[in-house]
PDB file of all heavy atoms in Angstrom:
ATOM      1  N   THR B   4    -111.230  25.245-172.342  1.00  0.00           N
ATOM      2  CA  THR B   4    -111.184  25.658-173.742  1.00  0.00           C
ATOM      3  C   THR B   4    -112.309  26.635-174.025  1.00  0.00           C
ATOM      4  O   THR B   4    -113.283  26.723-173.285  1.00  0.00           O
ATOM      5  CB  THR B   4    -111.318  24.446-174.684  1.00  0.00           C
ATOM      6  OG1 THR B   4    -112.592  23.841-174.471  1.00  0.00           O
ATOM      7  CG2 THR B   4    -110.206  23.447-174.463  1.00  0.00           C
ATOM      8  N   LEU B   5    -112.157  27.324-175.086  1.00  0.00           N
ATOM      9  CA  LEU B   5    -113.145  28.299-175.523  1.00  0.00           C
ATOM     10  C   LEU B   5    -114.145  27.575-176.414  1.00  0.00           C
ATOM     11  O   LEU B   5    -113.916  27.371-177.588  1.00  0.00           O
ATOM     12  CB  LEU B   5    -112.427  29.411-176.297  1.00  0.00           C
ATOM     13  CG  LEU B   5    -113.202  30.641-176.673  1.00  0.00           C
ATOM     14  CD1 LEU B   5    -113.742  31.350-175.444  1.00  0.00           C
ATOM     15  CD2 LEU B   5    -112.299  31.584-177.447  1.00  0.00           C
ATOM     16  N   GLN B   6    -115.254  27.156-175.830  1.00  0.00           N
ATOM     17  CA  GLN B   6    -116.218  26.335-176.554  1.00  0.00           C
ATOM     18  C   GLN B   6    -117.121  27.147-177.459  1.00  0.00           C
ATOM     19  O   GLN B   6    -117.574  26.655-178.489  1.00  0.00           O
ATOM     20  CB  GLN B   6    -117.077  25.540-175.570  1.00  0.00           C
ATOM     21  CG  GLN B   6    -116.281  24.559-174.766  1.00  0.00           C
ATOM     22  CD  GLN B   6    -117.134  23.880-173.714  1.00  0.00           C
ATOM     23  OE1 GLN B   6    -118.240  24.289-173.411  1.00  0.00           O
ATOM     24  NE2 GLN B   6    -116.598  22.814-173.146  1.00  0.00           N
ATOM     25  N   SER B   7    -117.420  28.374-177.076  1.00  0.00           N
ATOM     26  CA  SER B   7    -118.373  29.179-177.819  1.00  0.00           C
ATOM     27  C   SER B   7    -117.876  30.612-177.917  1.00  0.00           C
ATOM     28  O   SER B   7    -117.369  31.171-176.945  1.00  0.00           O
ATOM     29  CB  SER B   7    -119.727  29.147-177.114  1.00  0.00           C
ATOM     30  OG  SER B   7    -120.676  29.907-177.812  1.00  0.00           O
ATOM     31  N   ILE B   8    -118.046  31.204-179.099  1.00  0.00           N
ATOM     32  CA  ILE B   8    -117.642  32.589-179.349  1.00  0.00           C
ATOM     33  C   ILE B   8    -118.873  33.362-179.799  1.00  0.00           C
ATOM     34  O   ILE B   8    -119.561  32.944-180.729  1.00  0.00           O
ATOM     35  CB  ILE B   8    -116.561  32.670-180.436  1.00  0.00           C
ATOM     36  CG1 ILE B   8    -115.309  31.909-179.999  1.00  0.00           C
ATOM     37  CG2 ILE B   8    -116.240  34.121-180.785  1.00  0.00           C
ATOM     38  CD1 ILE B   8    -114.295  31.699-181.103  1.00  0.00           C
ATOM     39  N   LEU B   9    -119.143  34.487-179.151  1.00  0.00           N
ATOM     40  CA  LEU B   9    -120.213  35.377-179.584  1.00  0.00           C
ATOM     41  C   LEU B   9    -119.577  36.459-180.442  1.00  0.00           C
ATOM     42  O   LEU B   9    -118.760  37.242-179.970  1.00  0.00           O
ATOM     43  CB  LEU B   9    -120.926  36.005-178.384  1.00  0.00           C
ATOM     44  CG  LEU B   9    -122.020  37.016-178.724  1.00  0.00           C
ATOM     45  CD1 LEU B   9    -123.153  36.349-179.499  1.00  0.00           C
ATOM     46  CD2 LEU B   9    -122.547  37.669-177.461  1.00  0.00           C
ATOM     47  N   LEU B  10    -119.937  36.474-181.715  1.00  0.00           N
ATOM     48  CA  LEU B  10    -119.421  37.471-182.644  1.00  0.00           C
ATOM     49  C   LEU B  10    -120.535  38.471-182.930  1.00  0.00           C
ATOM     50  O   LEU B  10    -121.430  38.215-183.735  1.00  0.00           O
ATOM     51  CB  LEU B  10    -118.943  36.806-183.941  1.00  0.00           C
ATOM     52  CG  LEU B  10    -118.474  37.714-185.078  1.00  0.00           C
ATOM     53  CD1 LEU B  10    -117.388  38.655-184.599  1.00  0.00           C
ATOM     54  CD2 LEU B  10    -117.986  36.888-186.234  1.00  0.00           C
ATOM     55  N   ALA B  11    -120.499  39.579-182.200  1.00  0.00           N
ATOM     56  CA  ALA B  11    -121.489  40.643-182.411  1.00  0.00           C
ATOM     57  C   ALA B  11    -120.975  41.518-183.543  1.00  0.00           C
ATOM     58  O   ALA B  11    -119.810  41.902-183.558  1.00  0.00           O
ATOM     59  CB  ALA B  11    -121.664  41.453-181.140  1.00  0.00           C
ATOM     60  N   THR B  12    -121.841  41.809-184.492  1.00  0.00           N
ATOM     61  CA  THR B  12    -121.422  42.561-185.663  1.00  0.00           C
ATOM     62  C   THR B  12    -122.340  43.735-185.939  1.00  0.00           C
ATOM     63  O   THR B  12    -123.533  43.676-185.667  1.00  0.00           O
ATOM     64  CB  THR B  12    -121.349  41.645-186.903  1.00  0.00           C
ATOM     65  OG1 THR B  12    -120.911  42.418-188.015  1.00  0.00           O
ATOM     66  CG2 THR B  12    -122.687  41.005-187.213  1.00  0.00           C
ATOM     67  N   ASP B  13    -121.744  44.790-186.491  1.00  0.00           N
ATOM     68  CA  ASP B  13    -122.525  45.940-186.930  1.00  0.00           C
ATOM     69  C   ASP B  13    -122.441  46.108-188.445  1.00  0.00           C
ATOM     70  O   ASP B  13    -122.917  47.093-188.988  1.00  0.00           O
ATOM     71  CB  ASP B  13    -122.081  47.212-186.210  1.00  0.00           C
ATOM     72  CG  ASP B  13    -120.608  47.524-186.426  1.00  0.00           C
ATOM     73  OD1 ASP B  13    -119.943  46.825-187.222  1.00  0.00           O
ATOM     74  OD2 ASP B  13    -120.111  48.476-185.806  1.00  0.00           O
ATOM     75  N   PHE B  14    -121.813  45.158-189.116  1.00  0.00           N
ATOM     76  CA  PHE B  14    -121.679  45.113-190.574  1.00  0.00           C
ATOM     77  C   PHE B  14    -120.816  46.228-191.157  1.00  0.00           C
ATOM     78  O   PHE B  14    -120.853  46.479-192.343  1.00  0.00           O
ATOM     79  CB  PHE B  14    -123.054  45.123-191.274  1.00  0.00           C
ATOM     80  CG  PHE B  14    -123.984  44.052-190.793  1.00  0.00           C
ATOM     81  CD1 PHE B  14    -125.251  44.389-190.349  1.00  0.00           C
ATOM     82  CD2 PHE B  14    -123.601  42.725-190.777  1.00  0.00           C
ATOM     83  CE1 PHE B  14    -126.132  43.414-189.905  1.00  0.00           C
ATOM     84  CE2 PHE B  14    -124.465  41.746-190.329  1.00  0.00           C
ATOM     85  CZ  PHE B  14    -125.730  42.089-189.899  1.00  0.00           C
ATOM     86  N   HIS B  15    -119.990  46.878-190.361  1.00  0.00           N
ATOM     87  CA  HIS B  15    -119.082  47.891-190.882  1.00  0.00           C
ATOM     88  C   HIS B  15    -117.826  47.234-191.445  1.00  0.00           C
ATOM     89  O   HIS B  15    -117.539  46.059-191.147  1.00  0.00           O
ATOM     90  CB  HIS B  15    -118.725  48.899-189.796  1.00  0.00           C
ATOM     91  CG  HIS B  15    -119.833  49.862-189.541  1.00  0.00           C
ATOM     92  ND1 HIS B  15    -120.199  50.256-188.289  1.00  0.00           N
ATOM     93  CD2 HIS B  15    -120.683  50.515-190.378  1.00  0.00           C
ATOM     94  CE1 HIS B  15    -121.204  51.095-188.359  1.00  0.00           C
ATOM     95  NE2 HIS B  15    -121.520  51.265-189.613  1.00  0.00           N
ATOM     96  N   PRO B  16    -117.053  47.956-192.250  1.00  0.00           N
ATOM     97  CA  PRO B  16    -115.861  47.373-192.877  1.00  0.00           C
ATOM     98  C   PRO B  16    -114.857  46.757-191.905  1.00  0.00           C
ATOM     99  O   PRO B  16    -114.200  45.783-192.248  1.00  0.00           O
ATOM    100  CB  PRO B  16    -115.243  48.560-193.624  1.00  0.00           C
ATOM    101  CG  PRO B  16    -116.393  49.463-193.912  1.00  0.00           C
ATOM    102  CD  PRO B  16    -117.316  49.317-192.729  1.00  0.00           C
ATOM    103  N   HIS B  17    -114.727  47.281-190.707  1.00  0.00           N
ATOM    104  CA  HIS B  17    -113.781  46.713-189.745  1.00  0.00           C
ATOM    105  C   HIS B  17    -114.193  45.313-189.286  1.00  0.00           C
ATOM    106  O   HIS B  17    -113.434  44.623-188.631  1.00  0.00           O
ATOM    107  CB  HIS B  17    -113.617  47.635-188.532  1.00  0.00           C
ATOM    108  CG  HIS B  17    -114.845  47.730-187.694  1.00  0.00           C
ATOM    109  ND1 HIS B  17    -115.840  48.642-187.941  1.00  0.00           N
ATOM    110  CD2 HIS B  17    -115.247  47.016-186.625  1.00  0.00           C
ATOM    111  CE1 HIS B  17    -116.807  48.481-187.052  1.00  0.00           C
ATOM    112  NE2 HIS B  17    -116.480  47.497-186.236  1.00  0.00           N
ATOM    113  N   GLN B  18    -115.392  44.906-189.655  1.00  0.00           N
ATOM    114  CA  GLN B  18    -115.895  43.575-189.291  1.00  0.00           C
ATOM    115  C   GLN B  18    -114.951  42.462-189.737  1.00  0.00           C
ATOM    116  O   GLN B  18    -114.838  41.444-189.072  1.00  0.00           O
ATOM    117  CB  GLN B  18    -117.272  43.393-189.914  1.00  0.00           C
ATOM    118  CG  GLN B  18    -117.699  41.960-190.096  1.00  0.00           C
ATOM    119  CD  GLN B  18    -118.975  41.886-190.898  1.00  0.00           C
ATOM    120  OE1 GLN B  18    -119.980  42.429-190.480  1.00  0.00           O
ATOM    121  NE2 GLN B  18    -118.923  41.231-192.023  1.00  0.00           N
ATOM    122  N   GLU B  19    -114.252  42.650-190.845  1.00  0.00           N
ATOM    123  CA  GLU B  19    -113.368  41.602-191.359  1.00  0.00           C
ATOM    124  C   GLU B  19    -112.263  41.260-190.355  1.00  0.00           C
ATOM    125  O   GLU B  19    -111.936  40.097-190.177  1.00  0.00           O
ATOM    126  CB  GLU B  19    -112.767  42.018-192.697  1.00  0.00           C
ATOM    127  CG  GLU B  19    -111.845  40.981-193.301  1.00  0.00           C
ATOM    128  CD  GLU B  19    -112.486  39.600-193.523  1.00  0.00           C
ATOM    129  OE1 GLU B  19    -113.701  39.536-193.775  1.00  0.00           O
ATOM    130  OE2 GLU B  19    -111.761  38.596-193.430  1.00  0.00           O
ATOM    131  N   GLU B  20    -111.714  42.270-189.697  1.00  0.00           N
ATOM    132  CA  GLU B  20    -110.675  42.012-188.698  1.00  0.00           C
ATOM    133  C   GLU B  20    -111.232  41.211-187.523  1.00  0.00           C
ATOM    134  O   GLU B  20    -110.582  40.301-187.013  1.00  0.00           O
ATOM    135  CB  GLU B  20    -110.075  43.321-188.207  1.00  0.00           C
ATOM    136  CG  GLU B  20    -109.304  44.064-189.276  1.00  0.00           C
ATOM    137  CD  GLU B  20    -108.859  45.434-188.819  1.00  0.00           C
ATOM    138  OE1 GLU B  20    -108.819  45.685-187.595  1.00  0.00           O
ATOM    139  OE2 GLU B  20    -108.561  46.259-189.692  1.00  0.00           O
ATOM    140  N   VAL B  21    -112.437  41.542-187.105  1.00  0.00           N
ATOM    141  CA  VAL B  21    -113.079  40.835-185.999  1.00  0.00           C
ATOM    142  C   VAL B  21    -113.396  39.403-186.423  1.00  0.00           C
ATOM    143  O   VAL B  21    -113.177  38.451-185.666  1.00  0.00           O
ATOM    144  CB  VAL B  21    -114.355  41.578-185.545  1.00  0.00           C
ATOM    145  CG1 VAL B  21    -115.101  40.796-184.483  1.00  0.00           C
ATOM    146  CG2 VAL B  21    -114.004  42.974-185.049  1.00  0.00           C
ATOM    147  N   ALA B  22    -113.888  39.235-187.643  1.00  0.00           N
ATOM    148  CA  ALA B  22    -114.195  37.898-188.160  1.00  0.00           C
ATOM    149  C   ALA B  22    -112.923  37.054-188.244  1.00  0.00           C
ATOM    150  O   ALA B  22    -112.947  35.866-187.905  1.00  0.00           O
ATOM    151  CB  ALA B  22    -114.864  38.006-189.532  1.00  0.00           C
ATOM    152  N   GLN B  23    -111.814  37.662-188.658  1.00  0.00           N
ATOM    153  CA  GLN B  23    -110.541  36.931-188.725  1.00  0.00           C
ATOM    154  C   GLN B  23    -110.126  36.441-187.333  1.00  0.00           C
ATOM    155  O   GLN B  23    -109.642  35.312-187.188  1.00  0.00           O
ATOM    156  CB  GLN B  23    -109.426  37.824-189.305  1.00  0.00           C
ATOM    157  CG  GLN B  23    -109.540  38.051-190.776  1.00  0.00           C
ATOM    158  CD  GLN B  23    -109.174  36.801-191.571  1.00  0.00           C
ATOM    159  OE1 GLN B  23    -108.944  35.712-191.058  1.00  0.00           O
ATOM    160  NE2 GLN B  23    -109.144  36.954-192.868  1.00  0.00           N
ATOM    161  N   ALA B  24    -110.294  37.280-186.336  1.00  0.00           N
ATOM    162  CA  ALA B  24    -109.955  36.877-184.969  1.00  0.00           C
ATOM    163  C   ALA B  24    -110.839  35.717-184.524  1.00  0.00           C
ATOM    164  O   ALA B  24    -110.362  34.752-183.912  1.00  0.00           O
ATOM    165  CB  ALA B  24    -110.101  38.060-184.007  1.00  0.00           C
ATOM    166  N   ALA B  25    -112.127  35.783-184.849  1.00  0.00           N
ATOM    167  CA  ALA B  25    -113.041  34.693-184.493  1.00  0.00           C
ATOM    168  C   ALA B  25    -112.657  33.405-185.208  1.00  0.00           C
ATOM    169  O   ALA B  25    -112.697  32.324-184.621  1.00  0.00           O
ATOM    170  CB  ALA B  25    -114.479  35.076-184.829  1.00  0.00           C
ATOM    171  N   VAL B  26    -112.257  33.508-186.467  1.00  0.00           N
ATOM    172  CA  VAL B  26    -111.824  32.327-187.228  1.00  0.00           C
ATOM    173  C   VAL B  26    -110.591  31.705-186.584  1.00  0.00           C
ATOM    174  O   VAL B  26    -110.522  30.490-186.391  1.00  0.00           O
ATOM    175  CB  VAL B  26    -111.545  32.687-188.709  1.00  0.00           C
ATOM    176  CG1 VAL B  26    -110.828  31.559-189.432  1.00  0.00           C
ATOM    177  CG2 VAL B  26    -112.842  33.042-189.424  1.00  0.00           C
ATOM    178  N   ARG B  27    -109.621  32.538-186.227  1.00  0.00           N
ATOM    179  CA  ARG B  27    -108.397  32.012-185.596  1.00  0.00           C
ATOM    180  C   ARG B  27    -108.714  31.331-184.267  1.00  0.00           C
ATOM    181  O   ARG B  27    -108.227  30.230-183.994  1.00  0.00           O
ATOM    182  CB  ARG B  27    -107.374  33.131-185.398  1.00  0.00           C
ATOM    183  CG  ARG B  27    -106.696  33.551-186.690  1.00  0.00           C
ATOM    184  CD  ARG B  27    -105.492  34.457-186.442  1.00  0.00           C
ATOM    185  NE  ARG B  27    -105.809  35.671-185.707  1.00  0.00           N
ATOM    186  CZ  ARG B  27    -106.211  36.814-186.262  1.00  0.00           C
ATOM    187  NH1 ARG B  27    -106.353  36.904-187.555  1.00  0.00           N
ATOM    188  NH2 ARG B  27    -106.445  37.867-185.510  1.00  0.00           N
ATOM    189  N   LEU B  28    -109.501  31.973-183.445  1.00  0.00           N
ATOM    190  CA  LEU B  28    -109.856  31.382-182.155  1.00  0.00           C
ATOM    191  C   LEU B  28    -110.650  30.086-182.328  1.00  0.00           C
ATOM    192  O   LEU B  28    -110.385  29.089-181.654  1.00  0.00           O
ATOM    193  CB  LEU B  28    -110.663  32.375-181.310  1.00  0.00           C
ATOM    194  CG  LEU B  28    -109.894  33.540-180.729  1.00  0.00           C
ATOM    195  CD1 LEU B  28    -110.858  34.572-180.156  1.00  0.00           C
ATOM    196  CD2 LEU B  28    -108.912  33.067-179.680  1.00  0.00           C
ATOM    197  N   ALA B  29    -111.620  30.107-183.236  1.00  0.00           N
ATOM    198  CA  ALA B  29    -112.442  28.915-183.457  1.00  0.00           C
ATOM    199  C   ALA B  29    -111.606  27.757-183.966  1.00  0.00           C
ATOM    200  O   ALA B  29    -111.813  26.609-183.563  1.00  0.00           O
ATOM    201  CB  ALA B  29    -113.566  29.226-184.444  1.00  0.00           C
ATOM    202  N   SER B  30    -110.626  28.042-184.825  1.00  0.00           N
ATOM    203  CA  SER B  30    -109.812  26.949-185.358  1.00  0.00           C
ATOM    204  C   SER B  30    -108.849  26.394-184.305  1.00  0.00           C
ATOM    205  O   SER B  30    -108.612  25.192-184.244  1.00  0.00           O
ATOM    206  CB  SER B  30    -109.046  27.388-186.607  1.00  0.00           C
ATOM    207  OG  SER B  30    -108.137  28.406-186.308  1.00  0.00           O
ATOM    208  N   VAL B  31    -108.339  27.246-183.444  1.00  0.00           N
ATOM    209  CA  VAL B  31    -107.426  26.793-182.387  1.00  0.00           C
ATOM    210  C   VAL B  31    -108.167  25.979-181.327  1.00  0.00           C
ATOM    211  O   VAL B  31    -107.702  24.929-180.889  1.00  0.00           O
ATOM    212  CB  VAL B  31    -106.698  27.988-181.730  1.00  0.00           C
ATOM    213  CG1 VAL B  31    -105.991  27.571-180.450  1.00  0.00           C
ATOM    214  CG2 VAL B  31    -105.711  28.606-182.706  1.00  0.00           C
ATOM    215  N   PHE B  32    -109.345  26.446-180.920  1.00  0.00           N
ATOM    216  CA  PHE B  32    -110.066  25.820-179.820  1.00  0.00           C
ATOM    217  C   PHE B  32    -111.203  24.900-180.247  1.00  0.00           C
ATOM    218  O   PHE B  32    -111.825  24.257-179.407  1.00  0.00           O
ATOM    219  CB  PHE B  32    -110.636  26.896-178.880  1.00  0.00           C
ATOM    220  CG  PHE B  32    -109.580  27.654-178.136  1.00  0.00           C
ATOM    221  CD1 PHE B  32    -109.227  28.938-178.517  1.00  0.00           C
ATOM    222  CD2 PHE B  32    -108.927  27.087-177.054  1.00  0.00           C
ATOM    223  CE1 PHE B  32    -108.246  29.642-177.830  1.00  0.00           C
ATOM    224  CE2 PHE B  32    -107.946  27.780-176.357  1.00  0.00           C
ATOM    225  CZ  PHE B  32    -107.606  29.059-176.750  1.00  0.00           C
ATOM    226  N   GLY B  33    -111.500  24.842-181.556  1.00  0.00           N
ATOM    227  CA  GLY B  33    -112.630  24.039-182.007  1.00  0.00           C
ATOM    228  C   GLY B  33    -113.956  24.619-181.546  1.00  0.00           C
ATOM    229  O   GLY B  33    -114.911  23.891-181.278  1.00  0.00           O
ATOM    230  N   SER B  34    -114.018  25.939-181.453  1.00  0.00           N
ATOM    231  CA  SER B  34    -115.199  26.626-180.927  1.00  0.00           C
ATOM    232  C   SER B  34    -116.315  26.736-181.953  1.00  0.00           C
ATOM    233  O   SER B  34    -116.084  26.765-183.151  1.00  0.00           O
ATOM    234  CB  SER B  34    -114.823  28.053-180.506  1.00  0.00           C
ATOM    235  OG  SER B  34    -113.693  28.070-179.677  1.00  0.00           O
ATOM    236  N   HIS B  35    -117.526  26.834-181.444  1.00  0.00           N
ATOM    237  CA  HIS B  35    -118.688  27.195-182.253  1.00  0.00           C
ATOM    238  C   HIS B  35    -118.839  28.708-182.171  1.00  0.00           C
ATOM    239  O   HIS B  35    -118.547  29.304-181.138  1.00  0.00           O
ATOM    240  CB  HIS B  35    -119.960  26.546-181.713  1.00  0.00           C
ATOM    241  CG  HIS B  35    -119.958  25.071-181.838  1.00  0.00           C
ATOM    242  ND1 HIS B  35    -119.638  24.233-180.797  1.00  0.00           N
ATOM    243  CD2 HIS B  35    -120.217  24.270-182.894  1.00  0.00           C
ATOM    244  CE1 HIS B  35    -119.720  22.986-181.202  1.00  0.00           C
ATOM    245  NE2 HIS B  35    -120.066  22.980-182.476  1.00  0.00           N
ATOM    246  N   VAL B  36    -119.318  29.315-183.247  1.00  0.00           N
ATOM    247  CA  VAL B  36    -119.500  30.763-183.284  1.00  0.00           C
ATOM    248  C   VAL B  36    -120.985  31.090-183.391  1.00  0.00           C
ATOM    249  O   VAL B  36    -121.697  30.494-184.202  1.00  0.00           O
ATOM    250  CB  VAL B  36    -118.724  31.393-184.461  1.00  0.00           C
ATOM    251  CG1 VAL B  36    -119.026  32.878-184.580  1.00  0.00           C
ATOM    252  CG2 VAL B  36    -117.226  31.167-184.292  1.00  0.00           C
ATOM    253  N   THR B  37    -121.425  32.027-182.563  1.00  0.00           N
ATOM    254  CA  THR B  37    -122.782  32.556-182.641  1.00  0.00           C
ATOM    255  C   THR B  37    -122.686  33.971-183.178  1.00  0.00           C
ATOM    256  O   THR B  37    -121.980  34.807-182.608  1.00  0.00           O
ATOM    257  CB  THR B  37    -123.447  32.568-181.250  1.00  0.00           C
ATOM    258  OG1 THR B  37    -123.582  31.223-180.792  1.00  0.00           O
ATOM    259  CG2 THR B  37    -124.818  33.219-181.302  1.00  0.00           C
ATOM    260  N   LEU B  38    -123.380  34.233-184.277  1.00  0.00           N
ATOM    261  CA  LEU B  38    -123.409  35.566-184.867  1.00  0.00           C
ATOM    262  C   LEU B  38    -124.587  36.334-184.275  1.00  0.00           C
ATOM    263  O   LEU B  38    -125.671  35.782-184.099  1.00  0.00           O
ATOM    264  CB  LEU B  38    -123.559  35.478-186.376  1.00  0.00           C
ATOM    265  CG  LEU B  38    -122.457  34.715-187.107  1.00  0.00           C
ATOM    266  CD1 LEU B  38    -122.759  34.647-188.591  1.00  0.00           C
ATOM    267  CD2 LEU B  38    -121.106  35.352-186.863  1.00  0.00           C
TER     268      LEU B  38
END
């Protein structure tokens, strides 16, 4: 399983799409997210 997700961000508007993907993955796998 995907236990940990590294979400690297540059704070640009496209960040929302990346955050949505991290949310979906975290909810499916029960992952922790590191920003």
Side-chain angles (χ1 to χ4, degrees):
T4 63
L5 189 60
Q6 296 175 347
S7 180
I8 299 169
L9 177 63
L10 175 55
T12 181
D13 58 6
F14 306 126
H15 284 138
H17 68 272
Q18 158 188 300
E19 180 57 31
E20 294 173 19
V21 175
Q23 286 287 7
V26 168
R27 285 192 302 272
L28 287 169
S30 63
V31 168
F32 292 103
S34 310
H35 293 99
V36 174
T37 296
L38 301 177

